[in-house]
């Protein structure tokens, strides 16, 4: 935001904020019942994204289970398979953690927008 303001541009012209406005406009066009259903689905997504850390934390135990066979295969006769295996494992681990937190953040973002719209509608009725 600081860079945008320093360049003399308005914050509401930033792509990120335009995206938020588009999402708000979409959700405002839906009825409250549908919004509530979407909110429930987002709660499921938010809580369900915890599966990735479980898989990430359980994978080393699986590798430990087969450690003798794995080490025999990876370190056999000076092969460099261990380096490739390690690189692929670390990349997969990093990608899954990044995806986990990104999906969780998006779900929280949508849940907040939906809750705000539903609260606005309740206050308008009162």
């Amino acid at each position: 935001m600081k860079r945008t303001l320093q360049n003399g541009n308005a914050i509401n012209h930033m792509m990120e904020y335009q995206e938020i406005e588009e999402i708000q406009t979409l959700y405002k066009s839906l009825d409250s019942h549908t919004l509530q259903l979407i909110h429930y689905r987002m709660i499921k997504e938010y809580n369900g994204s915890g599966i990735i850390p479980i898989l990430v934390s359980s994978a080393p135990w699986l590798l430990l289970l087969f450690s003798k066979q794995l080490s025999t295969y990876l370190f056999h006769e000076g092969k460099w398979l261990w380096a490739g295996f390690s690189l692929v494992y670390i990349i997969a681990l990093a990608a899954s953690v990044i995806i986990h937190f990104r999906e969780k953040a998006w779900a929280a973002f949508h849940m907040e927008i939906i809750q705000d719209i539903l609260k606005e509608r309740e206050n308008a009725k009162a």
Side-chain angles (χ1 to χ4, degrees), residues 12-106:
N12 59 354
H13 290 118
M14 289 178 62
M15 185 177 70
E16 292 87 356
Y17 294 108
Q18 290 174 351
E19 181 181 29
I20 293 169
E21 288 179 353
E22 289 174 7
I23 292 169
Q24 283 179 326
T25 303
L26 171 68
Y27 285 153
K28 285 180 180 180
S29 70
L30 300 173
D31 63 287
S32 295
H33 177 71
T34 304
L35 274 180
Q36 192 65 47
L37 292 175
I38 293 171
H39 185 257
Y40 294 147
R41 177 64 185 188
M42 288 297 157
I43 292 171
K44 181 183 180 293
E45 291 294 323
Y46 183 82
N47 293 326
S49 63
I51 293 171
I52 292 174
I54 291 170
L55 292 175
V56 167
S57 63
S58 65
W61 288 106
L62 181 64
L63 295 176
L64 184 62
L65 182 66
F66 297 107
S67 63
K68 183 176 180 181
Q69 296 90 340
L70 194 59
S71 65
T72 302
Y73 180 73
L74 292 177
F75 298 110
H76 183 68
E77 297 176 13
K79 290 183 180 178
W80 283 87
L81 286 176
W82 64 269
F85 176 80
S86 299
L87 183 66
V88 167
Y89 181 75
I90 290 171
I91 290 171
L93 179 70
S96 64
V97 169
I98 290 168
I99 290 169
H100 162 72
F101 285 109
R102 187 170 188 255
E103 292 299 318
K104 199 164 187 163
W106 270 109

